[in-house]
Amino acid sequence: MKILHTADWHLGKRLDRFSRLEEQVLVMEELIQTADEQQVDIILIAGDLFDNFNPSVEAVQLFYKTLKRLSLNGKRPVIAISGNHDSPSLIDAPDPLARECGIILIGHPKAMITPFELEFFNISKSAEGFIELTFKNHDFPVRILHTPYANEMRLKQYFGEQKEAELNKVLAEHWQKNADKFCDEKGVNLLMTHLYMNQKGAPLLDEPEGEKPLKIGNADLIFSDIIPSQIQYTALGHLHRFQNIGTDERPVVYSSSPLCYSFSEAGQTKYISIIEAAPGKTVWFEKIPIKNGKCLERKRFDSIGKTVEWLTVNQDTFVELTLESETFLTADERKRLYQSHNGIVHLIPKVKNLELSKSHLHDINLNQDIQSLFRDYFKSKNGGQDANEEIIHLFNEILNP
């Protein structure tokens, strides 16, 4: 049995003023090709399908078209759960129609999926937060414990009032109950969830920059030791870097996002996780790098010439650019930078910090002319830096409109 695990598509996401939709079309195509080339039997998508509760028409169209092609028009099951960026109701809405195409959409925790039968596979058993799939071409079932993301209100609704103190306990009991009832060694047993999970006692894992945080203090931190022993592979979403926080024998895997979505992810390679599983055996999995999508770069330079030279050579990137200089950037220098590269997301000018001498602090002559006073004031506020001629010209315009 081959399984593809992916997550954190964030369809419709922008990087500041830049749309990523063209790149997302390419990585969705690559994901479909990988699924077909690897001849996978099941697709798992572990949340954050969209980037917000009200995705654009283009993002929704890309989502449905991708799922339809991944499902091979009903021959291959695709199971997708909602993440913290998704509207559970939006994810649930097309489920009756999606099932006819072999697509199972799960928006809420403890969802109960009605069993159904298609030509190539069936949902043979179902309980709150659990489904079992049987296949015409496999002599064993696949069991999936599923827990989409839930905000505080929904967690209290589904898991009780004392969410902060009880979440690990309640989830452990809920997962263990389903595992004990349904997950024996005669089938493949999986867990899929979109929660902030980590090993107990391990250093905290960084959440993606700019993302809605799941971990507020330790209230929403789920520990991997509550995963039932019957589970052979845990498919996680939320963190955008590929990492196995479990063991080789019992992998607990963040599959990564398909694109770098913030500059904290600059330089990361993104992956698709491919799992080979059989009943009662340790799973084998590999990470397949995603080739499409622009690189994100955080670069620092100390001259306009070096900056323009690098920008000219590295056109197919998004850049957060820090430029250190002796004086503030002029309008012409900014124009030159932006004309040399159309993917500058952030330009951070940084004037080199010079120590203020005591004379700068104490020897300002208040009897001098207004322009000289402005120059001294500017130096006192900007680390001893002189105002450049462009700033002086603007000051004179204000004095003499």
Side-chain angles (χ1 to χ4, degrees), residues 250-270:
R250 296 179 63 207
V252 181
V253 175
Y254 290 100
S255 65
S256 86
S257 57
L259 288 173
C260 293
Y261 283 129
S262 70
F263 284 101
S264 64
E265 302 169 47
Q268 286 184 14
T269 300
K270 301 302 185 177

PDB file of all heavy atoms in Angstrom, residues 250-270:
ATOM      1  N   ARG A 250       8.099   4.582  14.271  1.00  0.00           N
ATOM      2  CA  ARG A 250       6.766   5.186  14.342  1.00  0.00           C
ATOM      3  C   ARG A 250       6.876   6.650  13.927  1.00  0.00           C
ATOM      4  O   ARG A 250       6.894   7.550  14.753  1.00  0.00           O
ATOM      5  CB  ARG A 250       6.187   5.053  15.759  1.00  0.00           C
ATOM      6  CG  ARG A 250       5.943   3.621  16.199  1.00  0.00           C
ATOM      7  CD  ARG A 250       5.383   3.587  17.622  1.00  0.00           C
ATOM      8  NE  ARG A 250       4.085   4.257  17.703  1.00  0.00           N
ATOM      9  CZ  ARG A 250       3.611   4.834  18.799  1.00  0.00           C
ATOM     10  NH1 ARG A 250       4.340   4.876  19.903  1.00  0.00           N
ATOM     11  NH2 ARG A 250       2.430   5.409  18.790  1.00  0.00           N
ATOM     12  N   PRO A 251       6.927   6.897  12.625  1.00  0.00           N
ATOM     13  CA  PRO A 251       7.121   8.269  12.149  1.00  0.00           C
ATOM     14  C   PRO A 251       5.928   9.162  12.496  1.00  0.00           C
ATOM     15  O   PRO A 251       4.766   8.749  12.405  1.00  0.00           O
ATOM     16  CB  PRO A 251       7.252   8.097  10.634  1.00  0.00           C
ATOM     17  CG  PRO A 251       7.554   6.651  10.420  1.00  0.00           C
ATOM     18  CD  PRO A 251       6.881   5.924  11.526  1.00  0.00           C
ATOM     19  N   VAL A 252       6.242  10.402  12.895  1.00  0.00           N
ATOM     20  CA  VAL A 252       5.251  11.446  13.139  1.00  0.00           C
ATOM     21  C   VAL A 252       5.740  12.646  12.330  1.00  0.00           C
ATOM     22  O   VAL A 252       6.674  13.335  12.742  1.00  0.00           O
ATOM     23  CB  VAL A 252       5.142  11.792  14.637  1.00  0.00           C
ATOM     24  CG1 VAL A 252       4.090  12.874  14.868  1.00  0.00           C
ATOM     25  CG2 VAL A 252       4.823  10.536  15.452  1.00  0.00           C
ATOM     26  N   VAL A 253       5.131  12.875  11.161  1.00  0.00           N
ATOM     27  CA  VAL A 253       5.777  13.662  10.120  1.00  0.00           C
ATOM     28  C   VAL A 253       4.975  14.910   9.748  1.00  0.00           C
ATOM     29  O   VAL A 253       3.780  14.831   9.452  1.00  0.00           O
ATOM     30  CB  VAL A 253       5.992  12.797   8.853  1.00  0.00           C
ATOM     31  CG1 VAL A 253       6.554  13.637   7.712  1.00  0.00           C
ATOM     32  CG2 VAL A 253       6.924  11.628   9.166  1.00  0.00           C
ATOM     33  N   TYR A 254       5.666  16.062   9.789  1.00  0.00           N
ATOM     34  CA  TYR A 254       5.185  17.265   9.108  1.00  0.00           C
ATOM     35  C   TYR A 254       5.714  17.173   7.673  1.00  0.00           C
ATOM     36  O   TYR A 254       6.928  17.176   7.459  1.00  0.00           O
ATOM     37  CB  TYR A 254       5.730  18.524   9.767  1.00  0.00           C
ATOM     38  CG  TYR A 254       5.163  18.828  11.140  1.00  0.00           C
ATOM     39  CD1 TYR A 254       5.874  18.512  12.299  1.00  0.00           C
ATOM     40  CD2 TYR A 254       3.928  19.463  11.284  1.00  0.00           C
ATOM     41  CE1 TYR A 254       5.364  18.816  13.559  1.00  0.00           C
ATOM     42  CE2 TYR A 254       3.419  19.765  12.541  1.00  0.00           C
ATOM     43  CZ  TYR A 254       4.134  19.436  13.670  1.00  0.00           C
ATOM     44  OH  TYR A 254       3.626  19.744  14.908  1.00  0.00           O
ATOM     45  N   SER A 255       4.813  17.142   6.706  1.00  0.00           N
ATOM     46  CA  SER A 255       5.256  16.900   5.330  1.00  0.00           C
ATOM     47  C   SER A 255       5.811  18.140   4.652  1.00  0.00           C
ATOM     48  O   SER A 255       6.382  18.044   3.568  1.00  0.00           O
ATOM     49  CB  SER A 255       4.092  16.360   4.499  1.00  0.00           C
ATOM     50  OG  SER A 255       3.070  17.332   4.392  1.00  0.00           O
ATOM     51  N   SER A 256       5.643  19.314   5.232  1.00  0.00           N
ATOM     52  CA  SER A 256       6.055  20.621   4.722  1.00  0.00           C
ATOM     53  C   SER A 256       4.991  21.202   3.794  1.00  0.00           C
ATOM     54  O   SER A 256       4.157  20.486   3.242  1.00  0.00           O
ATOM     55  CB  SER A 256       7.422  20.594   4.002  1.00  0.00           C
ATOM     56  OG  SER A 256       7.294  20.251   2.637  1.00  0.00           O
ATOM     57  N   SER A 257       5.044  22.516   3.639  1.00  0.00           N
ATOM     58  CA  SER A 257       4.211  23.198   2.650  1.00  0.00           C
ATOM     59  C   SER A 257       4.833  22.989   1.269  1.00  0.00           C
ATOM     60  O   SER A 257       6.027  22.700   1.166  1.00  0.00           O
ATOM     61  CB  SER A 257       4.128  24.692   2.968  1.00  0.00           C
ATOM     62  OG  SER A 257       5.431  25.253   3.027  1.00  0.00           O
ATOM     63  N   PRO A 258       4.051  23.138   0.192  1.00  0.00           N
ATOM     64  CA  PRO A 258       4.618  22.920  -1.141  1.00  0.00           C
ATOM     65  C   PRO A 258       5.439  24.094  -1.660  1.00  0.00           C
ATOM     66  O   PRO A 258       6.188  23.942  -2.622  1.00  0.00           O
ATOM     67  CB  PRO A 258       3.377  22.691  -2.017  1.00  0.00           C
ATOM     68  CG  PRO A 258       2.277  23.418  -1.309  1.00  0.00           C
ATOM     69  CD  PRO A 258       2.586  23.308   0.156  1.00  0.00           C
ATOM     70  N   LEU A 259       5.285  25.279  -1.037  1.00  0.00           N
ATOM     71  CA  LEU A 259       6.057  26.457  -1.409  1.00  0.00           C
ATOM     72  C   LEU A 259       6.600  27.122  -0.144  1.00  0.00           C
ATOM     73  O   LEU A 259       6.046  26.950   0.945  1.00  0.00           O
ATOM     74  CB  LEU A 259       5.192  27.479  -2.150  1.00  0.00           C
ATOM     75  CG  LEU A 259       4.741  27.172  -3.574  1.00  0.00           C
ATOM     76  CD1 LEU A 259       3.747  28.234  -4.045  1.00  0.00           C
ATOM     77  CD2 LEU A 259       5.915  27.097  -4.533  1.00  0.00           C
ATOM     78  N   CYS A 260       7.666  27.909  -0.300  1.00  0.00           N
ATOM     79  CA  CYS A 260       8.111  28.780   0.784  1.00  0.00           C
ATOM     80  C   CYS A 260       7.154  29.961   0.846  1.00  0.00           C
ATOM     81  O   CYS A 260       7.020  30.703  -0.116  1.00  0.00           O
ATOM     82  CB  CYS A 260       9.532  29.271   0.525  1.00  0.00           C
ATOM     83  SG  CYS A 260      10.789  27.981   0.582  1.00  0.00           S
ATOM     84  N   TYR A 261       6.494  30.130   1.980  1.00  0.00           N
ATOM     85  CA  TYR A 261       5.459  31.146   2.086  1.00  0.00           C
ATOM     86  C   TYR A 261       5.869  32.354   2.930  1.00  0.00           C
ATOM     87  O   TYR A 261       5.129  33.323   3.005  1.00  0.00           O
ATOM     88  CB  TYR A 261       4.185  30.531   2.652  1.00  0.00           C
ATOM     89  CG  TYR A 261       3.416  29.716   1.641  1.00  0.00           C
ATOM     90  CD1 TYR A 261       3.011  28.414   1.919  1.00  0.00           C
ATOM     91  CD2 TYR A 261       3.093  30.248   0.395  1.00  0.00           C
ATOM     92  CE1 TYR A 261       2.303  27.666   0.986  1.00  0.00           C
ATOM     93  CE2 TYR A 261       2.393  29.504  -0.544  1.00  0.00           C
ATOM     94  CZ  TYR A 261       1.990  28.223  -0.242  1.00  0.00           C
ATOM     95  OH  TYR A 261       1.292  27.483  -1.166  1.00  0.00           O
ATOM     96  N   SER A 262       6.999  32.312   3.603  1.00  0.00           N
ATOM     97  CA  SER A 262       7.494  33.466   4.354  1.00  0.00           C
ATOM     98  C   SER A 262       9.009  33.421   4.338  1.00  0.00           C
ATOM     99  O   SER A 262       9.614  32.381   4.045  1.00  0.00           O
ATOM    100  CB  SER A 262       6.970  33.438   5.801  1.00  0.00           C
ATOM    101  OG  SER A 262       7.580  32.399   6.534  1.00  0.00           O
ATOM    102  N   PHE A 263       9.632  34.561   4.671  1.00  0.00           N
ATOM    103  CA  PHE A 263      11.095  34.617   4.604  1.00  0.00           C
ATOM    104  C   PHE A 263      11.764  33.833   5.717  1.00  0.00           C
ATOM    105  O   PHE A 263      12.963  33.582   5.658  1.00  0.00           O
ATOM    106  CB  PHE A 263      11.562  36.071   4.563  1.00  0.00           C
ATOM    107  CG  PHE A 263      11.356  36.699   3.206  1.00  0.00           C
ATOM    108  CD1 PHE A 263      10.279  37.529   2.975  1.00  0.00           C
ATOM    109  CD2 PHE A 263      12.219  36.421   2.162  1.00  0.00           C
ATOM    110  CE1 PHE A 263      10.070  38.088   1.727  1.00  0.00           C
ATOM    111  CE2 PHE A 263      12.031  36.962   0.906  1.00  0.00           C
ATOM    112  CZ  PHE A 263      10.947  37.811   0.679  1.00  0.00           C
ATOM    113  N   SER A 264      11.002  33.413   6.729  1.00  0.00           N
ATOM    114  CA  SER A 264      11.566  32.488   7.712  1.00  0.00           C
ATOM    115  C   SER A 264      11.801  31.116   7.091  1.00  0.00           C
ATOM    116  O   SER A 264      12.511  30.287   7.655  1.00  0.00           O
ATOM    117  CB  SER A 264      10.637  32.357   8.922  1.00  0.00           C
ATOM    118  OG  SER A 264       9.402  31.779   8.557  1.00  0.00           O
ATOM    119  N   GLU A 265      11.196  30.865   5.931  1.00  0.00           N
ATOM    120  CA  GLU A 265      11.388  29.600   5.214  1.00  0.00           C
ATOM    121  C   GLU A 265      12.414  29.724   4.099  1.00  0.00           C
ATOM    122  O   GLU A 265      12.596  28.777   3.321  1.00  0.00           O
ATOM    123  CB  GLU A 265      10.050  29.133   4.628  1.00  0.00           C
ATOM    124  CG  GLU A 265       8.947  28.945   5.659  1.00  0.00           C
ATOM    125  CD  GLU A 265       7.577  28.742   5.026  1.00  0.00           C
ATOM    126  OE1 GLU A 265       7.470  27.932   4.079  1.00  0.00           O
ATOM    127  OE2 GLU A 265       6.614  29.393   5.460  1.00  0.00           O
ATOM    128  N   ALA A 266      13.075  30.874   3.992  1.00  0.00           N
ATOM    129  CA  ALA A 266      14.047  31.093   2.919  1.00  0.00           C
ATOM    130  C   ALA A 266      15.100  29.994   2.923  1.00  0.00           C
ATOM    131  O   ALA A 266      15.649  29.642   3.961  1.00  0.00           O
ATOM    132  CB  ALA A 266      14.702  32.460   3.082  1.00  0.00           C
ATOM    133  N   GLY A 267      15.347  29.440   1.745  1.00  0.00           N
ATOM    134  CA  GLY A 267      16.357  28.397   1.605  1.00  0.00           C
ATOM    135  C   GLY A 267      15.866  26.993   1.869  1.00  0.00           C
ATOM    136  O   GLY A 267      16.611  26.026   1.645  1.00  0.00           O
ATOM    137  N   GLN A 268      14.625  26.832   2.349  1.00  0.00           N
ATOM    138  CA  GLN A 268      14.111  25.491   2.624  1.00  0.00           C
ATOM    139  C   GLN A 268      13.769  24.765   1.323  1.00  0.00           C
ATOM    140  O   GLN A 268      13.261  25.359   0.374  1.00  0.00           O
ATOM    141  CB  GLN A 268      12.837  25.557   3.482  1.00  0.00           C
ATOM    142  CG  GLN A 268      13.058  25.907   4.923  1.00  0.00           C
ATOM    143  CD  GLN A 268      11.769  25.860   5.732  1.00  0.00           C
ATOM    144  OE1 GLN A 268      10.757  25.324   5.278  1.00  0.00           O
ATOM    145  NE2 GLN A 268      11.808  26.429   6.921  1.00  0.00           N
ATOM    146  N   THR A 269      14.036  23.470   1.295  1.00  0.00           N
ATOM    147  CA  THR A 269      13.499  22.598   0.249  1.00  0.00           C
ATOM    148  C   THR A 269      12.166  22.051   0.737  1.00  0.00           C
ATOM    149  O   THR A 269      12.030  21.670   1.891  1.00  0.00           O
ATOM    150  CB  THR A 269      14.461  21.435  -0.040  1.00  0.00           C
ATOM    151  OG1 THR A 269      15.722  21.968  -0.464  1.00  0.00           O
ATOM    152  CG2 THR A 269      13.914  20.532  -1.141  1.00  0.00           C
ATOM    153  N   LYS A 270      11.168  22.042  -0.147  1.00  0.00           N
ATOM    154  CA  LYS A 270       9.852  21.520   0.188  1.00  0.00           C
ATOM    155  C   LYS A 270       9.707  20.100  -0.357  1.00  0.00           C
ATOM    156  O   LYS A 270      10.324  19.737  -1.371  1.00  0.00           O
ATOM    157  CB  LYS A 270       8.769  22.431  -0.378  1.00  0.00           C
ATOM    158  CG  LYS A 270       8.855  23.861   0.150  1.00  0.00           C
ATOM    159  CD  LYS A 270       8.750  23.911   1.655  1.00  0.00           C
ATOM    160  CE  LYS A 270       8.718  25.324   2.186  1.00  0.00           C
ATOM    161  NZ  LYS A 270       8.539  25.390   3.641  1.00  0.00           N
TER     162      LYS A 270
END
